[in-house]
Amino acid sequence: MLLLLPGVALLAGVVLYPLIAALVTAFFEQSLVLPGRTFVGLQNIVEVLQGDFLRLLRQTLVFTLGTTILPFVVGFALALALNTKIRGAKVLRGLMLIPWLVPGVVVSFLWMWIFNANYGVMNALLQTLGLVDDPQAWLAQPGTAMGAVILAKTWQSFPWMMVMLLAGLQTVPVELHEAAEMDGAGTVRRFFAITMPHLKGIVGLVLLLEFIWNFQHFDIIYVLTGGGPAGATQTFATAVYETAFQGYDLGKAGALGLLWMVLLMALVVVYVRFSEKGEER
Amino acid sequence: MSATTQLPATPTPPSASSPAGGDAPRPPQRLRRGALRSERPGVRIAAWATVVVCGGFGLLPVYWLLATSLTPRDQVFSYPPKFFPSAPTLDAFAALASNEQLFGYLRNSVIVSVLTAVLSVLVSAYMGYSFSKFRYRGRRSLMYLVLASQMFPQALLLVTLYSVFSAYNLLNTYTALVLSFTTFTLPLCVWMLKGFFDTIPDELIEAARVDGASRLRIIHSIVLPLAAPGLIAAGLFAFVRGWNDFVFALTLAGPEKQTLPPGLVNTFIGEASTAWPELMAASLVVSLPVAIAFIALQKYLVGGLTAGAVKG
């Protein structure tokens, strides 16, 4: 098929070959800046497993779960609220998309400013509400940095969740709700008996996609904290990048990447299965 | 019935949820979907409370972005911050306009994003057409490999891309940036365009073949013109994804060839006192083309959403 040739060639050149070659470096001692490499077998992988792996896995999971569940909660709440007939729902639907339209670095700049230790509006807000006594350096304290990063990413992600779930809510037949209401089913009861079953597919899809994307999210973490302080917001994505491009240790970056890919591929296989079901209607 | 009578003026966009049967005047007996006609007072109060809390979370930072960009530079460094800038000014925007390095980043961003969009659409159109209209061994595997390939982590691809581009002296060139951007734009364009081609009736292609048109002729004179809205939509999505990229441009290019996202980080972040009004003003400027593209793309959004056009 000649039609496929340009696409396949490009894909092989910029995606498949680089991916495989990067995974292969896991078995070599290799530097980013020096030529040549030595085969070292499983040494890199063993070192990674004995070193940072579990901490990175834990932090990546905290970030990923936080940035999947929080946007889902906010996005779903908004989708349900804006699916009612309240005044201004249409305008609000549009306005709520703004956080999602701005590029990732802009999200980082904005939240870096909001969380600023000396002049940040977050400190002012929390002090006014009496929730903190003194201004906090949210992004520079190991205890608060991850939470702050998750909040920034949540702000970027929730509109997408809202749009998808609103689209799902539009497909729920109103007659079912009205009939159930006549039969005396309350709002909560109808939500679980009618709305949720209709949304099952879309809810599964958005959670899975969001989880996969966040499992490898880089931009916001890197700009906000660079993985710090003291590695507290380091995830697989920032750790692989730092190991390769600041530590020049391609072997160790490849080993980390190999372990990361194994976990990621499991998720991607689930996603592909999911898509196949939708495709073969 | 002749095939040409079915020729649609514009193909309908691919949409995962479009119900079978078109959207001509709806028969009255059809189920109404969406919102209830009337809600109980409790539901209304809950809806409003949600809108206030979640809407505040969504919009207050946007307000803060705008307010800071209009705040005079010396007022920014005061605590507690003033929620309403007392003497709003456009100084920050004026400062941007006189910053030549930023214009360099802007030019790079425009060039790289446009080239990425053009290359992605060109290559994906053929691939998407092949996936849509032909059946052959390995088609499904290849399709899902393309879909999965946008989920391979960029940090890992960079490990090799950096070395390869370095070996061919391509670091710090537009070529390196455009090629690396296609890693995420190609899968998205292929899937979006396949969706568009699916809506072009097979009979139309069959009729052209009977009339003796060659395969390439069919693609170039019949299919692509019909799919023009789709090509434009896919191209705009590719443009936006290229415009938003941070990590590839940060790593593969130096200051002369870098795009705006890493350029802004290099210009503003890490200094002793960040020029916040200017950074917020620059953030608004960078976001503008994306916002415009999205307004143009509204009706393709939901179809593009599941294809990974825009990440959440």
Side-chain angles (χ1 to χ4, degrees):
Chain A
M1 288 305 305
L2 275 173
L3 294 176
L4 288 173
L5 204 60
V8 170
L10 193 59
L11 208 64
V14 296
V15 181
L16 296 181
Y17 165 71
L19 181 76
I20 293 162
L23 296 177
V24 167
T25 59
F27 306 100
F28 290 86
E29 178 89 56
Q30 191 179 351
S31 159
L32 184 72
V33 286
L34 301 174
R37 59 180 187 180
T38 348
F39 183 76
V40 291
L42 295 175
Q43 190 191 315
N44 288 325
I45 293 171
V46 171
E47 271 173 23
V48 166
L49 283 174
Q50 286 172 344
D52 275 350
F53 180 75
L54 281 179
R55 190 173 61 92
L56 284 175
L57 178 63
R58 197 186 65 231
Q59 288 175 183
T60 306
L61 283 177
V62 169
F63 175 80
T64 310
L65 283 172
T67 52
T68 303
I69 294 168
L70 279 179
F72 177 73
V73 171
V74 176
F76 200 10
L78 268 173
L80 287 170
L82 296 181
N83 196 43
T84 62
K85 285 272 155 77
I86 62 172
R87 204 172 303 164
K90 263 217 169 108
V91 178
L92 275 167
R93 277 184 215 177
L95 284 177
M96 284 305 154
L97 298 184
I98 295 174
W100 173 52
L101 295 184
V102 299
V105 283
V106 171
V107 176
S108 315
F109 297 151
L110 175 57
W111 285 88
M112 193 185 262
W113 175 225
I114 289 172
F115 283 127
N116 187 288
N118 299 318
Y119 314 106
V121 71
M122 182 61 86
N123 278 323
L125 179 73
L126 294 179
Q127 273 189 313
T128 310
L129 296 176
L131 293 174
V132 294
D133 296 328
D134 304 303
Q136 306 286 312
W138 299 101
L139 292 167
Q141 298 166 159
T144 56
M146 184 59 98
V149 172
I150 289 175
L151 199 66
K153 183 70 181 95
T154 297
W155 186 74
Q156 188 193 35
S157 299
F158 85 83
W160 180 77
M161 289 279 197
M162 183 192 80
V163 174
M164 295 291 280
L165 292 166
L166 258 174
L169 283 173
Q170 307 288 319
T171 67
V172 180
V174 180
E175 274 76 3
L176 283 181
H177 274 288
E178 285 171 350
E181 194 168 25
M182 251 178 267
D183 290 344
T187 310
V188 177
R189 176 86 192 277
R190 282 187 283 118
F191 174 76
F192 284 108
I194 300 171
T195 310
M196 278 316 277
H198 268 93
L199 288 184
K200 239 178 11 197
I202 194 97
V203 165
L205 179 74
V206 293
L207 288 177
L208 182 62
L209 269 175
E210 193 70 46
F211 194 91
I212 293 176
W213 288 333
N214 290 326
F215 198 69
Q216 46 170 305
H217 183 77
F218 179 84
D219 297 9
I220 291 178
I221 306 174
Y222 186 79
V223 180
L224 273 183
T225 65
T233 53
Q234 201 79 274
T235 61
F236 284 120
T238 60
V240 166
Y241 189 84
E242 198 183 87
T243 309
F245 294 101
Q246 277 142 34
Y248 300 147
D249 188 345
L250 293 191
K252 200 179 156 204
L256 258 178
L258 186 68
L259 297 166
W260 184 24
M261 267 310 279
V262 171
L263 300 171
L264 194 56
M265 278 329 285
L267 293 167
V268 172
V269 167
V270 177
Y271 172 62
V272 167
R273 287 272 155 78
F274 209 97
S275 308
E276 277 178 325
K277 255 196 258 160
E279 187 68 15
E280 300 302 309
R281 275 174 296 171
Chain B
M1 166 164 44
S2 101
T4 42
T5 55
Q6 301 185 341
L7 193 151
T10 49
T12 47
S15 138
S17 55
S18 77
D23 24 21
R26 297 187 172 191
Q29 72 273 23
R30 190 165 178 156
L31 287 184
R32 279 181 303 114
R33 292 165 191 273
L36 274 172
R37 255 177 311 197
S38 64
E39 279 99 12
R40 303 173 183 193
V43 174
R44 266 169 175 278
I45 293 166
W48 270 111
T50 309
V51 167
V52 169
V53 173
C54 298
F57 170 67
L59 293 179
L60 283 178
V62 177
Y63 169 75
W64 199 233
L65 177 70
L66 284 165
T68 305
S69 75
L70 298 173
T71 306
R73 200 167 181 175
D74 50 333
Q75 269 191 34
V76 160
F77 296 109
S78 65
Y79 188 85
K82 289 202 183 72
F83 198 67
F84 301 101
S86 56
T89 165
L90 292 173
D91 285 357
F93 290 91
L96 291 183
S98 60
N99 187 331
E100 283 187 18
Q101 197 177 15
L102 287 184
F103 275 98
Y105 294 138
L106 176 66
R107 195 188 58 230
N108 294 341
S109 269
V110 172
I111 293 173
V112 173
S113 310
V114 168
L115 288 178
T116 302
V118 172
L119 177 69
S120 314
V121 170
L122 270 180
V123 175
S124 321
Y126 295 114
M127 206 173 195
Y129 181 74
S130 167
F131 284 158
S132 173
K133 295 298 179 204
F134 296 103
R135 294 293 177 269
Y136 42 87
R137 270 185 67 159
R139 169 183 160 272
R140 288 176 56 82
S141 321
L142 195 57
M143 268 169 54
Y144 286 102
L145 181 66
V146 171
L147 184 70
S149 73
Q150 64 177 337
M151 291 169 175
F152 299 157
Q154 299 184 332
L156 204 52
L157 297 181
L158 262 174
V159 169
T160 317
L161 287 176
Y162 184 89
S163 310
V164 172
F165 288 139
S166 167
Y168 289 97
N169 280 322
L170 284 173
L171 286 182
N172 207 14
T173 62
Y174 292 142
T175 314
L177 293 188
V178 171
L179 284 177
S180 64
F181 287 7
T182 55
T183 58
F184 50 79
T185 56
L186 194 70
L188 128 78
C189 290
V190 168
W191 272 77
M192 273 196 77
L193 290 175
K194 175 191 173 289
F196 268 97
F197 295 139
D198 284 348
T199 66
I200 294 179
D202 290 340
E203 290 85 352
L204 197 63
I205 295 159
E206 211 41 60
R209 187 170 300 153
V210 171
D211 289 345
S214 72
R215 268 191 189 168
L216 279 180
R217 177 87 201 278
I218 292 175
I219 296 177
H220 291 143
S221 345
I222 296 171
V223 176
L224 291 186
L226 273 179
L231 299 178
I232 292 169
L236 269 176
F237 273 124
F239 175 89
V240 168
R241 290 288 306 274
W243 187 266
N244 286 350
D245 165 83
F246 170 66
V247 66
F248 282 137
L250 173 78
T251 315
L252 298 173
E256 320 87 71
K257 291 284 155 54
Q258 239 159 25
T259 53
L260 274 167
L264 290 179
V265 172
N266 292 344
T267 311
F268 288 101
I269 305 296
E271 290 177 31
S273 65
T274 304
W276 290 107
E278 282 171 47
L279 182 54
M280 293 299 114
S283 297
L284 284 172
V285 174
V286 182
S287 308
L288 204 62
V290 185
I292 294 170
F294 269 71
I295 292 168
L297 285 169
Q298 261 174 4
K299 64 176 187 168
Y300 303 110
L301 267 186
V302 173
L305 285 167
T306 39
V310 265
K311 296 190 177 186

